[in-house]
Structures are given as structure tokens and as C-alpha cells.
Amino acid sequence: MKLVKDAAGGIQAEEVFFTKRMQNHHGGMVLVGDSIYGFDQSNLTCIDFKTGEVKWSDRSVGKGSVVYADGMIYARSERGPVALVE
């Protein structure tokens, strides 16, 4: 994860952490507060944005994509079903 910030003379990117625990195939990731939500292979996964530690991971949805709206994570499986995550 890289932190991008305004610096004298331009923009600077600094690596905060590196993890192999978010092998996002497709569908992107969303940042909500200090948590990153996305799919690590076939697991819906939540990673701490500041440390890179996995907070939780759940295989029930399978591989898919995520969006955030109205305080909820909407996870859509590549096979069609949608899960609502509080």
C-alpha cells in the first residue's frame, strides 16, 4: 500500500506496507474508514489500511466485486448473487 501526498515540488508516494493477502483479480477494493474491503482470490477480505493486517476473511460469496453505499458493503459474486455486509 502506498501513501500519496503533496510534497514540495510535486507529489510523493511512500510505501506503508506490502501484503500478498489481497490478490484482487477483478472488482476493485473500497476504503471505508481504516479498512480496505476486497476479494483476495475467492475470499471477501478486510485489511487494516494502516498496518496491512487481515481483520477477517470469508469465503461464502466466492470471487466478485465490492462497492460501498449507505453504511454497507455490497459484494457481488461473479456468478450473480449479491451479499450485504454490515
Side-chain angles (χ1 to χ4, degrees):
M1 184 63 56
K2 294 193 185 228
L3 176 63
V4 177
K5 56 186 173 183
D6 207 6
I11 295 177
Q12 176 184 353
E14 170 188 336
E15 187 170 288
V16 178
F17 65 84
F18 176 83
T19 182
K20 291 185 177 183
R21 287 300 312 265
M22 189 62 85
Q23 300 289 320
N24 194 276
H25 179 73
H26 64 270
M29 295 176 270
V30 293
L31 175 64
V32 180
D34 289 334
S35 299
I36 300 171
Y37 300 89
F39 285 90
D40 177 28
Q41 301 295 338
S42 294
N43 294 335
L44 178 58
T45 303
C46 176
I47 291 181
D48 186 286
F49 179 68
K50 294 180 179 177
T51 66
E53 287 185 43
V54 174
K55 292 182 175 183
W56 56 262
S57 185
D58 187 286
R59 190 174 178 89
S60 63
V61 178
K63 193 186 307 181
S65 58
V66 294
V67 295
Y68 175 79
D70 297 326
M72 304 291 269
I73 299 289
Y74 294 79
R76 183 177 187 274
S77 168
E78 68 181 353
R79 294 189 174 161
V82 176
L84 198 54
V85 182
E86 240 182 314

